[in-house]
Each structure stands twice: as structure tokens, then as C-alpha cells.
Amino acid sequence: MKKIFAANWKLYKTPQQARDFFAAFNSKIEQLQLSSAQTEIVVFPSAFALEATILAAKQNAKIGAQNCYIKGEGAFTGENSAQVAKDLGASYILVGHSERRALFAEQDIFLADKVAYVQSLGLTAMLCIGETLEQRESNKTNAVLFEQLRLGLSKAQKNLVVAYEPVWAIGTGKVATTEQVAETHAAVAQMLSDLGFSGTPILYGGSVKPDNAAGLIQQKNVSGFLIGGASLEADSFLKIIELAK
Ligand code: PGA
């Protein structure tokens, strides 16, 4: 099954830094000669660096925006348009990252509209889900994930990727164990199937690094990674991508 390696650059990298990244990345990824049938690379830069990143990536990565509004145009000062991202050449939009949920109070029903809008444009929505440490410790993980999927996908069609990112593992250096990942991905795969989205790729995210990625990628139901910190340097992102070989 195809593996997806997605870089979430969050609010890092200027356009020049994005160009510098791809100056190092492009020749090395071309040397790896990965087949696009087996590997997909996606980079999510911040909004103002989107166009520079698309141009710098050439054909070596698909590019996505980290967020968008539920409409393509209108009187929505300060929002970002998925239609504009598409016109610039983006093919993915990240929806419902835990930082959007926690810092910008994004709710599942709002995210459902984003997923539907993104897909209506023919773009792929990458819906992020994940439980907090408190929820995991009180055995609510599966209930929380199911609600996030049930509501977030209530208006969804196709062109979907799900990223499972336990909130307690994001940016903390605390990666989930291979057992936790295997168990939770199996549960998420079953939930997606129950909701009518069987076969949807499920990425793991949360402190993925070159030294822990090998064990995780082998787990059944892990279709790839959504990588924050370790995707900012071309070399560490490439070391993780090389696992696809
Ligand atoms: P991290 O971030 O790899 O730095 O933990 C992952 C994410 O937020 O998508």
C-alpha cells in the first residue's frame, strides 16, 4: 500500500527558507527514485509561503495549506481560501489539526463543513484527530476518536486522508509506543469502515523522528506520517521518507 509522508511546517519558514529547504531536498529525493505509486510526499507550509513552496518543490512534493475557511470567497476578512490555494497549485488541505482545535476553538461540526468544501473543489482533505492525555488515561480514546470522525466526516465524500495524532505526543518528544499505534490505528480503521470510509489512509503523527519511524511504519494500518519538528530539516525528513524503500 502507498505510504504518505506529510510535513507540517506549522508557522515556521519564510518563502526564502522554503526555497532553501527544497534546494537541499530536490536532488536527494530524485536520487532515491521512489515511485509515485508507492510514495506520496506532501508539504504543508504556512499560508504566506504557499506559492514559494509550490514553485520550489517542483514535482517532488504535493503541497497543501494548513487551514482554510468553509467558503472560497466573500466578506470573511482575514480568512484563507482553499480555492486560492487550489489555483496556486495546492492539492491538499489540513483540517482540524489539534492546534486549531485547542488554540482557535475549532469544533467538529465546523470541521465537517471544511472537509466537505475542500473535497467539493477536488482537493484532498487531511482530517486530524486525536485524544488528550487525560482522555487516554480515563479510557476514552476510542470514544473521542469516534466522535471526531463521526461529526468531522458527516458531510464528507471521497479524497480523504485521516491523521491520528495523540495530542500528548505532538511536539513533546513523547511518541506513542508501537503497541499504542497498532491498537489505535486498528480501531480507527474499523471506525472508518463503520462510517463508510473503509480504505482511507491513516497517518500517524506526534513526535515522529528518524529514529522511531522505522518501527511505526511497519504497523498494519499505518499508511504514513504527519511530521512536524522532524520535517523542518531536509535531511531528517528524507531519512524518514527513505523508510519507504
Ligand atoms: P511533531 O508535530 O512531529 O513536531 O510532534 C506533529 C504535528 O503537529 O502534526
Side-chain angles (χ1 to χ4, degrees):
M1 198 188 177
K2 187 180 197 168
K3 299 288 184 204
I4 301 173
F5 298 91
N8 175 11
W9 283 355
K10 311 194 179 192
L11 201 47
Y12 295 102
K13 291 203 192 291
T14 61
Q16 186 54 48
Q17 288 168 334
R19 285 190 282 274
D20 292 345
F21 175 96
F22 277 103
F25 184 84
N26 284 343
S27 57
K28 291 183 184 161
I29 197 76
E30 283 161 17
Q31 279 165 21
L32 285 179
Q33 295 190 320
L34 299 168
S35 93
S36 59
Q38 280 176 332
T39 318
E40 183 151 310
I41 298 165
V42 190
V43 174
F44 293 98
S46 68
F48 295 166
L50 189 68
E51 188 170 17
T53 307
I54 288 169
L55 294 173
K58 307 209 169 100
Q59 301 305 315
N60 291 313
K62 296 195 172 179
I63 307 298
Q66 296 172 9
N67 181 36
C68 70
Y69 190 54
I70 55 174
K71 296 210 164 107
E73 61 176 15
F76 309 112
T77 303
E79 283 298 323
N80 281 308
S81 167
Q83 179 63 60
V84 172
K86 181 183 173 179
D87 284 2
L88 290 172
S91 46
Y92 273 85
I93 309 275
L94 207 56
V95 178
H97 186 277
S98 76
E99 287 149 19
R100 303 281 334 154
R101 294 173 186 261
L103 303 173
F104 303 98
E106 295 198 359
Q107 307 278 329
D108 292 307
I109 39 167
F110 183 50
L111 301 176
D113 284 333
K114 291 196 189 196
V115 169
Y117 177 61
V118 164
Q119 293 177 330
S120 76
L121 296 175
L123 301 173
T124 300
M126 188 180 287
L127 177 69
C128 302
I129 59 169
E131 82 287 1
T132 62
L133 188 57
E134 196 193 349
Q135 289 164 336
R136 177 162 281 269
E137 286 176 345
S138 51
N139 288 325
K140 293 194 182 124
T141 299
N142 285 357
V144 167
L145 299 179
F146 185 74
E147 273 310 277
Q148 289 175 342
L149 289 172
R150 186 179 69 83
L151 296 170
L153 298 178
S154 56
K155 299 176 183 177
Q157 304 149 29
K158 50 189 171 80
N159 293 347
L160 179 70
V161 173
V162 166
Y164 166 59
E165 300 199 298
V167 176
W168 47 272
I170 295 177
T172 57
K174 256 197 232 168
V175 67
T177 63
T178 47
E179 292 75 22
Q180 286 170 326
V181 171
E183 194 186 358
T184 312
H185 276 242
V188 170
Q190 183 60 50
M191 294 173 201
L192 284 165
S193 159
D194 293 346
L195 291 166
F197 297 95
S198 62
T200 300
I202 308 166
L203 312 189
Y204 170 77
S207 296
V208 174
K209 308 279 178 231
D211 61 2
N212 60 32
L216 297 170
I217 200 82
Q218 287 161 17
Q219 301 307 309
K220 203 178 153 209
N221 299 308
V222 173
S223 313
F225 300 124
L226 180 57
I227 309 157
S231 73
L232 291 169
E233 297 295 330
D235 279 344
S236 61
F237 189 36
L238 281 157
K239 275 195 192 128
I240 298 170
I241 295 169
E242 272 173 36
L243 296 171
K245 280 226 118 175

